[in-house]
């Protein structure tokens, strides 16, 4: 099997690309800036954090070949959501010989940027900023620390949300989350989000007291936030979110300026190598 390995050396776990390539039968190594050079392969393996996966999935889609993920970041939320082993040796073995494929959507911002987990604005972005310098010391726990600090300092945003042209929310919100897999923040998530249905989900955490944020935080951590009373949740082919000018987004763990004004998903866009015997 001809395998191309895309490795992000800056990701949290710092796995050696040369070792990974040897375990993949002598795979050719590419950087994120070299995706256009990948051709004539049977499979693409990507090693990095969650923010590394979407562009590589897009390339795998264009070539019509499966994507294998070797978790190499701090949180590895995408891998957790799809049952991919977090142990490097197990993940490499799956990438090299796994035969079970899961067809997944690929979500996309209005800017064209793809994502596989979530794109969000509000406290999530503030929390990610607070967590960034703590990752090397606390690992995934950094996200919880960042979220606690964000709850004390963040401010609500003026938000308008439309789903398939229908207005579903207009007002102030602590956070708005547009989801594909729905996984983010070191284990938090939107439980109802389904990356196989070709739709994007949107959850709005409406403004309220900071004390009430504890309950919202618990809902995110237990992936039940969309079930809480007074928390709007909708899914559709297209989500449009209007935000104050200059609002920063957190997209698969990376900071992005804008793009929530039109979000959609391409159904069955790429095939992911997963454990098990059934697709």
């Amino acid at each position: 099997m001809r395998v191309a390995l895309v490795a992000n050396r800056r990701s949290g776990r710092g796995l050696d690309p040369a070792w990974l390539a040897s375990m993949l039968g002598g795979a050719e190594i590419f950087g994120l800036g070299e995706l256009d050079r990948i051709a004539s392969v049977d499979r693409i393996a990507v090693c990095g954090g969650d923010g590394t996966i979407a562009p590589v999935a897009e390339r795998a889609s264009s070539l019509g070949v499966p994507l294998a993920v070797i978790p190499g970041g701090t949180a590895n939320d995408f891998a957790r959501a799809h049952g991919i082993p977090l142990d490097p040796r197990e993940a490499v073995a799956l990438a090299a010989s796994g035969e079970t494929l899961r067809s997944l959507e690929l979500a996309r911002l209005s800017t064209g940027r793809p994502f596989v987990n979530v794109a969000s604005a509000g406290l999530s972005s503030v929390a990610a900023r607070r967590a960034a310098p703590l990752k090397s010391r606390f690992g995934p726990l950094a996200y919880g620390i960042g979220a606690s600090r964000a709850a004390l300092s963040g401010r609500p945003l003026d938000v308008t949300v439309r789903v398939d042209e229908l207005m579903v929310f207009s007002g102030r919100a602590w956070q708005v989350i547009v989801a594909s897999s729905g996984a983010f923040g070191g284990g938090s998530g939107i439980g109802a989000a389904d990356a196989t249905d070709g739709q994007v989900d949107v959850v709005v955490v409406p403004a309220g007291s900071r004390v009430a944020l504890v309950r919202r935080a618990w809902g995110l951590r237990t992936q039940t936030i969309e079930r809480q009373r007074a928390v709007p949740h909708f899914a559709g082919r297209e989500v449009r979110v209007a935000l104050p000018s200059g609002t920063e987004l957190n997209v698969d763990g990376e900071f992005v300026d804008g793009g929530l004004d039109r979000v959609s998903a391409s159904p069955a866009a790429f095939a992911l190598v997963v454990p098990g015997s059934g697709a």
Side-chain angles (χ1 to χ4, degrees), residues 3-49:
V3 180
L5 171 65
V6 180
N8 185 354
R9 297 175 182 270
R10 296 180 301 171
S11 294
R13 301 175 78 179
L15 297 176
D16 179 15
W19 174 77
L20 295 173
S22 67
M23 296 290 287
L24 292 169
E28 185 174 358
I29 302 172
F30 297 86
L32 277 176
E34 302 174 300
L35 298 183
D36 289 344
R37 292 183 49 228
I38 301 175
S40 302
V41 297
D42 300 304
R43 177 170 297 186
I44 299 177
V46 55
C47 179

Side-chain angles (χ1 to χ4, degrees), residues 181-210:
S181 78
F184 69 98
S188 297
I190 310 302
D194 182 356
T196 68
D197 64 4
Q199 294 188 317
V200 284
D201 289 64
V202 59
V203 168
V204 181
V205 179
S209 72
R210 294 186 190 273

Side-chain angles (χ1 to χ4, degrees), residues 91-219:
V92 172
L94 176 64
S97 59
E99 298 181 352
T100 300
L101 303 179
R102 180 175 299 158
S103 183
L104 298 178
E105 68 197 29
L106 189 62
R108 198 176 300 277
L109 301 178
S110 63
T111 59
R113 183 189 180 106
F115 67 94
V116 292
N117 287 341
V118 304
S120 60
L123 291 186
S124 60
S125 182
V126 178
R129 283 287 184 193
R130 299 290 191 274
L134 304 174
K135 288 182 181 180
S136 61
R137 181 178 180 184
F138 295 103
L141 291 177
Y143 293 98
I145 299 171
S148 298
R149 293 180 177 179
L152 295 174
S153 61
R155 296 182 179 180
L157 301 172
D158 291 316
V159 175
T160 300
V161 180
R162 288 180 172 84
V163 177
D164 294 337
E165 301 300 332
L166 177 67
M167 174 82 75
V168 297
F169 182 86
S170 181
R172 292 177 65 74
W174 287 116
Q175 189 167 336
V176 56
I177 308 164
V178 182
S180 178
S181 78
F184 69 98
S188 297
I190 310 302
D194 182 356
T196 68
D197 64 4
Q199 294 188 317
V200 284
D201 289 64
V202 59
V203 168
V204 181
V205 179
S209 72
R210 294 186 190 273
V211 174
L213 277 175
V214 174
R215 183 165 180 261
R216 304 302 186 213
W218 177 251

